[in-house]
Amino acid sequence: MLLLIKYTLLYGIVLMLVALGGMFSEHSGIINIALEGIMVIGGVAGVLTLTMLPASMPAFATVLIAVLVAAIAGMVYSLLLAFASINLKADQTIGGTALNLLATAVAVVISKHFSDSGSAKLNYSNKPFLFSIGGLELSIFVPLGIALLIISYIVLYKTRFGLRLRACGEHPQAADSVGINVYKMRYAGVVISGALGAIGGLAYIVPPVQTWNFEVGVAGAGFLALAVMIFGQWKPFHICGAAMFFAVFKSLANIADSTFLAQLHWSSNIYNMMPFVASMVILAFTSKNSMAPKAEGIPYDKGSR
């Protein structure tokens, strides 16, 4: 049970952070398919920071600097998607896919440059990111993720900025008519998405292991986060529940052989499939009540108002 809780929280927080990033972007009207690539860029930036920081540095400072560097890297990388989607009015899906492909290539080149062995593997210390509560080892990203979840809800639903951001995703022409700069709000949504996605990428890579091969990227976690966002109906706390739902089955796939479930002799792939099957069934019955922003994916042209 402790292992199940540990892996569920570890993987659930990752999915939640990245899905919250996608939520901000889509509430502004931009579909962020590039979450996978943003996770990779955030991960490589954070890991490189860990390899360069002195071992004598306090754990809190190490974590803070690595998270900030990862977030900044994700924000900068997400600007490519924002420029292509907002200024050039390019197809957002194609732009995001291109950034996903580019991110892994960039990460491999960078990691090989800084690796002693010349491979894409980087070694680092994950000790500052781990702490124990009653025999349960957890990641520092668990409390950080809970804090960011609460902040995301407050920003989105309790502030003027959040109201304007959602207006730009629902009806940008109406928002523009009352003086809201739609382009700036969409840039803000994508940049916030980049920060959260990059932190999620660092959370995916660092706590579980002390060596990471960037040739594998983040193994599709960014696309899984998109499914979590849709399953959570673009609402922060619903996204949190959806992330934990996905994470339970992902965790079962990892530990099933060491529990009573081993008697069923099921493949781990079955547990990995369960949340997707459940999502498709639920979405099939609830698609008419979808809470997706009405103007997501539609380039805004000020002249068309």
Side-chain angles (χ1 to χ4, degrees):
M1 183 57 69
L2 287 177
L3 276 176
L4 179 61
I5 294 173
K6 173 185 174 180
Y7 286 119
T8 298
L9 288 175
L10 184 68
Y11 200 67
I13 289 295
V14 171
L15 293 177
M16 184 193 73
L17 285 171
V18 182
L20 286 175
M23 176 194 71
F24 274 100
S25 181
E26 297 208 4
H27 270 303
S28 73
I30 303 296
I31 297 176
N32 194 347
I33 300 294
L35 288 173
E36 177 92 359
I38 289 171
M39 287 182 71
V40 173
I41 294 298
V44 72
V47 166
L48 276 178
T49 302
L50 290 176
T51 61
M52 294 178 181
L53 291 176
S56 59
M57 181 172 287
F60 175 78
T62 300
V63 172
L64 181 62
I65 293 173
V67 170
L68 285 177
V69 170
I72 292 171
M75 292 165 69
V76 172
Y77 194 69
S78 67
L79 286 174
L80 295 175
L81 175 66
F83 179 75
S85 302
I86 299 169
N87 295 87
L88 303 182
K89 297 179 174 57
D91 186 285
Q92 296 168 16
T93 303
I94 294 175
T97 303
L99 290 177
N100 287 335
L101 297 173
L102 176 64
T104 304
V106 170
V108 169
V109 171
I110 293 175
S111 55
K112 283 186 175 182
H113 178 74
F114 286 95
S115 173
D116 295 332
S117 62
S119 68
K121 294 182 179 180
L122 290 175
N123 298 313
Y124 49 88
S125 173
N126 62 352
K127 297 293 177 61
F129 292 85
L130 301 173
F131 66 97
S132 297
I133 298 179
L136 178 64
E137 189 178 57
L138 294 175
S139 162
I140 195 67
F141 289 104
V142 173
L144 177 61
I146 294 172
L148 289 174
L149 171 65
I150 296 171
I151 292 171
S152 296
Y153 175 81
I154 293 173
V155 169
L156 201 60
Y157 293 106
K158 303 296 181 182
T159 65
R160 182 182 299 176
F161 170 82
L163 178 62
R164 291 180 173 182
L165 187 76
R166 287 183 285 125
C168 292
E170 292 291 338
H171 203 304
Q173 287 81 10
D176 196 3
S177 68
V178 294
I180 298 174
N181 190 319
V182 176
Y183 299 132
K184 286 185 178 179
M185 295 306 296
R186 289 191 167 185
Y187 260 99
V190 175
V191 168
I192 293 173
S193 176
L196 290 172
I199 294 173
L202 183 62
Y204 179 83
I205 291 173
V206 172
V209 294
Q210 296 186 15
T211 301
W212 188 260
N213 183 3
F214 283 95
E215 289 181 353
V216 300
V218 290
F223 295 109
L224 195 57
L226 284 172
V228 168
M229 179 192 66
I230 296 170
F231 191 45
Q233 292 290 288
W234 294 267
K235 295 180 179 179
F237 289 108
H238 290 190
I239 286 174
C240 178
M244 295 305 162
F245 174 75
F246 274 65
V248 166
F249 290 101
K250 183 70 174 178
S251 302
L252 284 175
N254 293 332
I255 69 170
D257 292 339
S258 59
T259 67
F260 68 93
L261 294 174
Q263 299 175 5
L264 298 175
H265 303 292
W266 286 0
S267 168
S268 62
N269 293 326
I270 295 177
Y271 297 105
N272 285 327
M273 287 169 56
M274 283 182 178
F276 297 99
V277 174
S279 298
M280 287 189 290
V281 172
I282 293 172
L283 290 174
F285 285 102
T286 61
S287 59
K288 291 184 179 179
N289 300 319
S290 175
M291 302 299 291
K294 298 294 187 297
E296 67 168 358
I298 303 173
Y300 177 65
D301 185 1
K302 191 179 181 70
S304 65
R305 184 163 65 87

